[in-house]
Amino acid sequence: MPAPNQFIFWGATGQAKVLRDCLKSDETLIALFDNNESVPPPFSDLPLFYGWEQFKNWKAQQTAGRPIHFLVAIGGSHGNERLDIHDRLEAMGLTPGVAIHPSAVVASSVKITGGSQVLASSTVCVESQIGRSCIINTAASVDHECILEDGVHICPGAHLAGQVHVGRNSMIGTGAVILPRVKIGKNSIVGAGAVVIEDVPNNVVVVGNPARILKERANNGHDPKI
């Protein structure tokens, strides 16, 4: 019987817990990493290392030639951070994995790029395209022919109708609804429960029903509490 595929997660809070539940029988989590030294280990059976120096020391002790896959377990509107870590790990020789929970429904024509995560009870419909390190969270739905650029997070219970396009690093909040053919700009946030009926520009926060711009959002800005 072949050895299981090895995975690490970068990020050791709640997202790591739901991601571990996505791993298949031939995949095993061997270590976790986090930049925040105040984060406690989420699992009693696995080591947690902090920061890039500890990662380099750990990696130097691994068996040469054995591939190690990774997923970045950092949710919310931290798409830029997730992609930065993704790129750095890939440059250091690790392979981006894909996590699809057994209860998720993903059409065979969907294209999912490395590092992305499709969590429990979510749905991704025909001919949708999912970029690098995207998160489609619990019970979210992405209908036909949607495009999610790199670093997008679709939060729990959010629903994208057909042919929606979500720009790089944007987040669709919990329970939000995006109508067909709407385009969400880059680095924008759709607030929880919002109903979006028209295009959303780059670098803004929109809220309400129908959704309206609440504020502008600086690139790599701090998460607003919405």
Side-chain angles (χ1 to χ4, degrees):
M1 185 174 180
N5 293 321
Q6 299 181 113
F7 272 77
I8 68 162
F9 293 167
W10 197 289
T13 56
Q15 190 71 17
K17 294 179 181 180
V18 295
L19 264 185
R20 192 177 192 184
D21 194 43
C22 292
L23 294 181
K24 301 173 184 175
S25 59
D26 61 348
E27 298 171 337
T28 185
L29 184 61
I30 60 174
L32 296 105
F33 300 84
D34 202 291
N35 289 324
N36 185 352
E37 295 186 4
S38 68
V39 171
F43 307 120
S44 61
D45 60 334
L46 288 172
L48 171 58
F49 303 94
Y50 299 101
W52 290 102
E53 286 305 313
Q54 290 193 17
F55 171 78
K56 292 175 184 177
N57 293 335
W58 173 86
K59 186 174 182 294
Q61 299 173 22
Q62 303 310 302
T63 303
R66 181 88 188 270
I68 299 173
H69 299 79
F70 71 85
L71 291 164
V72 184
I74 299 173
S77 57
H78 297 288
N80 281 326
E81 181 181 0
R82 198 160 57 247
L83 285 171
D84 286 346
I85 295 169
H86 177 124
D87 290 342
R88 192 165 179 178
L89 290 172
E90 194 166 14
M92 296 175 75
L94 276 68
T95 301
V98 171
I100 301 176
H101 193 275
S103 66
V105 177
V106 179
S108 61
S109 58
V110 170
K111 296 179 180 178
I112 302 180
T113 313
S116 287
Q117 310 158 27
V118 184
L119 302 186
S121 299
S122 57
T123 302
V124 187
C125 295
V126 294
E127 298 183 17
S128 290
Q129 300 176 40
I130 312 301
R132 298 180 306 131
S133 278
C134 291
I135 298 173
I136 301 171
N137 221 318
T138 306
S141 64
V142 176
D143 214 321
H144 64 92
E145 303 169 273
C146 286
I147 296 174
L148 309 187
E149 296 185 14
D150 298 344
V152 166
H153 185 177
I154 309 300
C155 291
H159 300 293
L160 276 58
Q163 299 181 328
V164 168
H165 187 132
V166 183
R168 181 183 173 98
N169 299 332
S170 286
M171 184 186 84
I172 311 301
T174 299
V177 175
I178 316 296
L179 268 60
R181 295 175 292 282
V182 165
K183 184 171 183 178
I184 308 297
K186 302 177 188 297
N187 196 48
S188 288
I189 294 175
V190 175
V195 177
V196 182
I197 65 174
E198 59 186 13
D199 292 354
V200 172
N202 299 336
N203 304 314
V204 297
V205 177
V206 300
V207 298
N209 179 5
R212 294 288 184 265
I213 294 175
L214 175 67
K215 64 175 76 173
E216 293 186 358
R217 184 173 187 241
N219 285 323
N220 304 314
H222 182 73
D223 257 357
K225 301 296 183 182
I226 56 175

